[in-house]
Amino acid sequence: LEEAAFQLQQIFRIDISIALNILGIESMRAGHHRVAFTCFKLAADRGYSKAQFNVGLCYEHGRGTEKDLEKAGFYYCQAASSRHPMAQYRYARYLLQHGPGNPWHRHHQAVTLLEQAAVAGITEAQAYLGVFYMRGLQPQEKRALKYLLLAANSGDAQSRYHVGVCYEQGLGVQQNLAEALRHYRQAAAAGNRHARERLRA
């Protein structure tokens, strides 16, 4: 009986959190940012990862509350620890740009989170990792190309352009100008300015 009561309590708690988060989203769409933030915060403090992510966004962009990157990082971290993919991406970016503590540890943790988010299908994480591995102190070109292709196949025109560069210069793949042109054309058709300039060149 105690177990059943506990289960009901958990379900009730989750349902309230979901409802508060939905109310927050609707309030944000209606332009009621303070109300939205309050709803997100109530749900976030109950441990609901989607609301924790939304609180992070509010703090990062100053919507419904004062802008506070440290608090944004805290809530992204909470959501990321529940394996929220977009929070993993945002928290990784926070760690790389603003995070406290040991730089090597921050870097390692950020890359792990980015890879988890990329595997979960977050295009932004795939694109970020592609460039990250291409431009690092010790470039890992094949790994970079893998993530750039994932992002490009998800519709990211900038990543499609970078894939073209890889084929043109033979980075992580056999040089192939015809393949480079194909990727540049696709990126240009999607509105990428760099690809259009490359095609003219």
Side-chain angles (χ1 to χ4, degrees), residues 26-88:
E26 293 305 315
S27 298
M28 192 62 78
R29 283 186 185 140
H32 306 303
H33 296 176
R34 283 197 181 280
V35 174
F37 174 74
T38 302
C39 293
F40 291 145
K41 185 87 164 51
L42 286 167
D45 292 343
R46 289 168 166 267
Y48 189 51
S49 64
K50 289 182 180 178
Q52 290 166 338
F53 172 70
N54 287 330
V55 170
L57 285 176
C58 288
Y59 276 124
E60 184 179 358
H61 300 291
R63 287 195 196 126
T65 186
E66 291 293 313
K67 192 172 182 176
D68 189 324
L69 292 179
E70 199 172 312
K71 285 182 181 174
F74 172 79
Y75 280 96
Y76 287 147
C77 176
Q78 296 288 304
S81 68
S82 297
R83 303 190 72 77
H84 186 292
M86 188 52 99
Q88 290 172 326

Side-chain angles (χ1 to χ4, degrees), residues 134 141 144-145 148 161-176 184:
M134 193 63 75
E141 293 165 354
L145 182 60
L148 288 172
Y161 161 74
H162 286 303
V163 171
V165 172
C166 289
Y167 275 102
E168 184 182 2
Q169 298 180 8
L171 303 170
V173 70
Q174 186 75 36
Q175 189 178 36
N176 185 327
Y184 285 147

Side-chain angles (χ1 to χ4, degrees), residues 2-189:
E2 277 181 26
E3 179 63 25
F6 177 74
Q7 292 296 334
L8 277 171
Q9 218 174 20
Q10 292 298 99
I11 290 164
F12 183 63
R13 212 178 135 172
I14 290 165
D15 283 350
I16 288 176
S17 300
I18 292 168
L20 283 166
N21 192 58
I22 291 168
L23 189 60
I25 292 166
E26 293 305 315
S27 298
M28 192 62 78
R29 283 186 185 140
H32 306 303
H33 296 176
R34 283 197 181 280
V35 174
F37 174 74
T38 302
C39 293
F40 291 145
K41 185 87 164 51
L42 286 167
D45 292 343
R46 289 168 166 267
Y48 189 51
S49 64
K50 289 182 180 178
Q52 290 166 338
F53 172 70
N54 287 330
V55 170
L57 285 176
C58 288
Y59 276 124
E60 184 179 358
H61 300 291
R63 287 195 196 126
T65 186
E66 291 293 313
K67 192 172 182 176
D68 189 324
L69 292 179
E70 199 172 312
K71 285 182 181 174
F74 172 79
Y75 280 96
Y76 287 147
C77 176
Q78 296 288 304
S81 68
S82 297
R83 303 190 72 77
H84 186 292
M86 188 52 99
Q88 290 172 326
Y89 166 69
R90 292 272 183 173
Y91 186 52
R93 294 283 305 266
Y94 169 78
L95 285 172
L96 290 170
Q97 294 166 10
H98 311 286
N102 180 305
W104 185 89
H105 177 70
R106 274 195 346 251
H107 179 274
H108 180 72
Q109 188 183 1
V111 170
T112 300
L113 287 166
L114 283 167
E115 289 190 339
Q116 288 170 355
V119 168
I122 302 299
T123 305
E124 293 92 330
Q126 295 163 348
Y128 193 93
L129 275 175
V131 174
F132 180 83
Y133 282 128
M134 193 63 75
R135 294 183 178 164
L137 292 173
Q138 297 175 313
Q140 299 177 50
E141 293 165 354
K142 284 188 178 174
R143 187 173 254 186
L145 182 60
K146 177 186 112 173
Y147 285 113
L148 288 172
L149 277 167
L150 283 171
N153 292 336
S154 295
D156 185 63
Q158 184 68 14
S159 294
R160 181 70 67 191
Y161 161 74
H162 286 303
V163 171
V165 172
C166 289
Y167 275 102
E168 184 182 2
Q169 298 180 8
L171 303 170
V173 70
Q174 186 75 36
Q175 189 178 36
N176 185 327
L177 295 182
E179 195 65 9
L181 274 171
R182 186 174 76 81
H183 288 287
Y184 285 147
R185 284 191 188 112
Q186 285 181 16

